[in-house]
Amino acid sequence: MSILIKPIITEKATADSELRNCYTFAVNTKANKVEIKKAVEAAYGVSVEKVRTINVRPDRSTKFTKTGIQHGKTNAVKKAIVQLAEGEMIDLYANM
């Protein structure tokens, strides 16, 4: 089971990393905070102070087309906001 799926790079997440030293990751929906902390420390070699998680519900949509009504939904996602210790840093752009 892969815990960390990918880092989330948006305006809000980038500002959070610069100002508060918090990094946002998309994680496995069944992972808990302890597993996320160990995965980040192993992957990036940093010390984690705090982990906050968010379960994002799927969005449902309805489209009216020529063939009838089409229903759809997106996948549910779990996000983790990881706060690092003072002086620690993750360079997310180095692997690109």
Side-chain angles (χ1 to χ4, degrees):
M1 177 172 91
S2 177
I3 307 276
L4 297 176
I5 297 173
K6 65 180 179 178
I8 296 175
I9 302 173
T10 58
E11 285 186 38
K12 186 175 182 179
T14 305
D16 224 15
S17 66
E18 292 172 356
L19 299 176
R20 296 182 189 88
N21 205 19
C22 295
Y23 295 88
T24 307
F25 295 94
V27 296
N28 190 329
T29 55
K30 296 184 180 182
N32 60 30
K33 293 181 180 185
V34 176
E35 293 172 342
I36 294 168
K37 179 179 179 179
K38 289 179 183 177
V40 170
E41 288 177 345
Y44 295 103
V46 293
S47 58
V48 175
E49 279 188 357
K50 184 191 278 189
V51 177
R52 292 175 288 169
T53 59
I54 305 165
N55 284 311
V56 181
R57 64 175 169 76
D59 290 331
R60 298 182 189 279
S61 64
T62 304
K63 298 176 186 167
F64 299 96
T65 63
K66 292 179 187 177
T67 59
I69 299 174
Q70 301 292 321
H71 298 286
K73 81 176 181 69
T74 60
N75 293 330
V77 179
K78 186 170 191 175
K79 296 179 187 178
I81 301 172
V82 177
Q83 184 171 2
L84 302 182
E86 190 73 28
E88 298 279 334
M89 178 179 169
I90 296 175
D91 189 11
L92 297 174
Y93 301 105
N95 296 336
M96 293 183 176

